[in-house]
Short mmCIF file of all heavy atoms in Angstrom, two decimals:
data_model
loop_
_atom_site.label_atom_id
_atom_site.label_comp_id
_atom_site.label_asym_id
_atom_site.label_seq_id
_atom_site.Cartn_x
_atom_site.Cartn_y
_atom_site.Cartn_z
N ALA A 6 25.74 -3.80 11.90
CA ALA A 6 25.60 -2.57 12.78
C ALA A 6 24.87 -1.40 12.07
O ALA A 6 24.12 -0.74 12.71
CB ALA A 6 27.04 -2.13 13.19
N ARG A 7 25.13 -1.32 10.80
CA ARG A 7 24.35 -0.28 10.03
C ARG A 7 22.93 -0.50 10.01
O ARG A 7 22.11 0.40 10.05
CB ARG A 7 25.07 -0.06 8.71
CG ARG A 7 26.35 0.75 8.81
CD ARG A 7 27.08 0.85 7.44
NE ARG A 7 26.30 1.52 6.50
CZ ARG A 7 26.51 1.70 5.16
NH1 ARG A 7 27.67 1.04 4.66
NH2 ARG A 7 25.78 2.29 4.40
N ILE A 8 22.55 -1.86 9.87
CA ILE A 8 21.20 -2.09 9.83
C ILE A 8 20.41 -1.92 11.03
O ILE A 8 19.36 -1.31 11.26
CB ILE A 8 20.96 -3.51 9.28
CG1 ILE A 8 21.14 -3.58 7.77
CG2 ILE A 8 19.55 -4.08 9.65
CD1 ILE A 8 21.07 -4.91 7.21
N ASP A 9 21.24 -2.18 12.18
CA ASP A 9 20.68 -1.86 13.48
C ASP A 9 20.48 -0.35 13.76
O ASP A 9 19.51 0.04 14.39
CB ASP A 9 21.60 -2.42 14.60
CG ASP A 9 21.45 -4.05 14.67
OD1 ASP A 9 20.55 -4.57 14.04
OD2 ASP A 9 22.33 -4.74 15.31
N THR A 10 21.49 0.36 13.23
CA THR A 10 21.27 1.76 13.37
C THR A 10 20.09 2.36 12.54
O THR A 10 19.27 3.21 13.03
CB THR A 10 22.60 2.49 12.83
OG1 THR A 10 23.69 1.94 13.42
CG2 THR A 10 22.57 4.03 13.05
N LEU A 11 19.97 1.80 11.51
CA LEU A 11 18.74 2.19 10.60
C LEU A 11 17.44 1.87 11.37
O LEU A 11 16.53 2.76 11.45
CB LEU A 11 18.80 1.34 9.23
CG LEU A 11 17.62 1.50 8.27
CD1 LEU A 11 17.64 2.84 7.69
CD2 LEU A 11 17.79 0.58 7.13
N VAL A 12 17.35 0.68 11.95
CA VAL A 12 16.23 0.36 12.65
C VAL A 12 15.99 1.31 13.81
O VAL A 12 14.83 1.68 14.07
CB VAL A 12 16.25 -1.12 13.14
CG1 VAL A 12 15.18 -1.47 14.15
CG2 VAL A 12 16.29 -2.05 11.91
N GLU A 13 17.12 1.68 14.53
CA GLU A 13 16.96 2.59 15.61
C GLU A 13 16.40 3.97 15.18
O GLU A 13 15.58 4.59 15.88
CB GLU A 13 18.29 2.82 16.38
CG GLU A 13 18.60 1.74 17.25
CD GLU A 13 20.13 1.71 17.66
OE1 GLU A 13 20.76 2.87 17.57
OE2 GLU A 13 20.72 0.64 17.99
N GLN A 14 16.84 4.40 13.98
CA GLN A 14 16.46 5.73 13.50
C GLN A 14 15.02 5.63 13.14
O GLN A 14 14.11 6.64 13.37
CB GLN A 14 17.24 6.02 12.31
CG GLN A 14 18.70 6.52 12.60
CD GLN A 14 19.54 6.69 11.37
OE1 GLN A 14 19.74 5.75 10.59
NE2 GLN A 14 20.12 7.84 11.15
N ILE A 15 14.53 4.50 12.58
CA ILE A 15 13.03 4.30 12.25
C ILE A 15 12.26 4.45 13.53
O ILE A 15 11.19 5.07 13.61
CB ILE A 15 12.91 3.18 11.40
CG1 ILE A 15 13.54 3.35 10.02
CG2 ILE A 15 11.41 2.82 11.22
CD1 ILE A 15 13.77 2.06 9.21
N ALA A 16 12.76 3.59 14.51
CA ALA A 16 12.01 3.58 15.76
C ALA A 16 11.96 5.05 16.45
O ALA A 16 10.99 5.30 17.16
CB ALA A 16 12.61 2.65 16.75
N ALA A 17 12.96 5.81 16.20
CA ALA A 17 12.95 7.12 16.78
C ALA A 17 12.12 8.10 16.00
O ALA A 17 11.97 9.39 16.39
CB ALA A 17 14.40 7.70 16.76
N GLY A 18 11.45 7.68 14.86
CA GLY A 18 10.52 8.43 14.19
C GLY A 18 10.98 9.21 13.05
O GLY A 18 10.35 10.23 12.57
N ASP A 19 12.08 8.84 12.32
CA ASP A 19 12.57 9.52 11.16
C ASP A 19 11.62 9.08 9.93
O ASP A 19 11.74 8.00 9.47
CB ASP A 19 14.01 9.14 10.82
CG ASP A 19 14.57 9.90 9.64
OD1 ASP A 19 13.81 10.24 8.76
OD2 ASP A 19 15.86 10.11 9.66
N ARG A 20 10.70 10.00 9.58
CA ARG A 20 9.68 9.61 8.63
C ARG A 20 10.19 9.43 7.15
O ARG A 20 9.80 8.58 6.45
CB ARG A 20 8.67 10.78 8.59
CG ARG A 20 7.35 10.41 8.02
CD ARG A 20 6.38 11.51 8.21
NE ARG A 20 5.06 11.20 7.65
CZ ARG A 20 3.93 10.82 8.37
NH1 ARG A 20 3.99 10.87 9.63
NH2 ARG A 20 2.88 10.59 7.80
N ARG A 21 11.25 10.25 6.82
CA ARG A 21 11.72 10.20 5.51
C ARG A 21 12.54 8.86 5.30
O ARG A 21 12.43 8.10 4.34
CB ARG A 21 12.79 11.29 5.28
CG ARG A 21 13.66 11.26 4.09
CD ARG A 21 12.93 11.93 2.81
NE ARG A 21 13.89 12.11 1.74
CZ ARG A 21 13.56 11.91 0.46
NH1 ARG A 21 12.33 11.41 0.29
NH2 ARG A 21 14.50 12.01 -0.41
#
Side-chain angles (χ1 to χ4, degrees):
Chain A
R7 284 177 60 192
I8 283 175
D9 286 347
T10 307
L11 177 66
V12 171
E13 280 164 26
Q14 287 169 303
I15 290 164
D19 187 331
R20 197 171 180 110
R21 172 92 168 132

